Amino acid sequence: MGQNKQVAGFDIEYRVPFPIPEATNKSTLVLPVGGKRYLLDGLGKTIMVGRVKHDGTADLTFGLRGFSSHNISDFTDAFPRAAGLIPQPDGGVIAGLYNASELGLVRFKLNGEVDMSFGQAGTVFHKVEKMSASSAGRGRNNDGRQDSVFSSAVLGALTPAKDGNFYGVLGNRFAGDFSLLRCLANGALDAEFNGTGIVSVKEIL
């Protein structure tokens, strides 16, 4: 990789270690976790996590050539977006993909291996039945991808909480429907949170 561009002394250019980055879902996040830099994206329904060094080169101690991946076949959407990463006590991360009503989670160990003890063979999947008929299925191109307007309307994120738990938020600005999910450290919904682990919010448009 060539010399990184810099702004105010911070590196802003990375080389994605994924084998075919041009085929990813085009929602790559660059996230600092535990002093390390991670890249997160999807390849269809497959979650892709890479780890890079300070100079942007692949960290070859993580997975295969600096990246690891795992398929989340439960998604009804062919191109979910990167939700975020949750740091783990052993140095690994929980990584998430989302669409307006679905959240898929995979736990990766510090060395990039998928933690098969997490959920069902390394995967936890949550579906929220809340999308309105007016927003479901709209904004698709001929190849099945979300168009740019629809993609910008679908929002989602992960954020850590205390005791290893974490929150996820899913929503669609067009429909005005959002859901806040509270997950336990093992990825399961926290039933003590609203009795279901999910709080629904309807935005008044």
Side-chain angles (χ1 to χ4, degrees), residues 18-200:
F18 307 154
I20 42 176
E22 68 277 6
T24 62
N25 294 354
K26 307 302 182 184
S27 62
T28 305
L29 298 179
V30 181
L31 301 164
V33 178
K36 301 181 184 298
R37 290 176 172 84
Y38 285 87
L39 301 169
L40 171 65
D41 206 332
L43 182 63
K45 297 182 181 182
T46 297
I47 195 165
M48 308 283 288
V49 177
R51 194 164 71 205
V52 296
K53 299 178 182 178
H54 179 73
D55 63 0
T57 59
D59 182 350
L60 300 181
T61 66
F62 185 82
L64 175 66
R65 300 190 302 278
F67 79 94
S68 188
S69 62
H70 195 66
N71 183 257
I72 308 177
S73 60
D74 297 287
F75 275 111
T76 56
D77 189 324
F79 297 96
R81 300 171 63 84
L85 298 173
I86 300 298
Q88 298 297 284
D90 65 354
V93 292
I94 293 176
L97 294 181
Y98 77 94
N99 60 30
S101 60
E102 297 172 331
L103 176 65
L105 304 167
V106 177
R107 188 180 190 279
F108 294 91
K109 300 178 182 179
L110 179 62
N111 64 2
E113 293 180 0
V114 175
D115 184 352
M116 301 303 284
S117 69
F118 181 77
Q120 297 294 320
T123 302
V124 172
F125 187 80
H126 299 302
K127 184 175 181 64
V128 181
E129 300 291 348
K130 67 177 181 59
M131 282 194 69
S132 66
S134 61
S135 64
R138 64 181 292 187
R140 297 290 170 182
N141 293 322
N142 292 335
D143 63 359
R145 287 180 177 269
Q146 294 173 337
D147 66 28
S148 59
V149 175
F150 185 85
S151 295
S152 64
V154 177
L155 305 173
L158 295 178
T159 188
K162 294 181 179 180
D163 302 324
N165 301 330
F166 57 97
Y167 290 95
V169 63
L170 307 173
N172 187 312
R173 289 192 295 115
F174 285 160
D177 291 331
F178 293 87
S179 293
L180 179 65
L181 293 73
R182 179 175 170 87
C183 298
L184 302 173
N186 63 4
L189 292 174
D190 182 359
E192 294 185 1
F193 184 68
N194 196 39
T196 61
I198 303 173
V199 171
S200 296

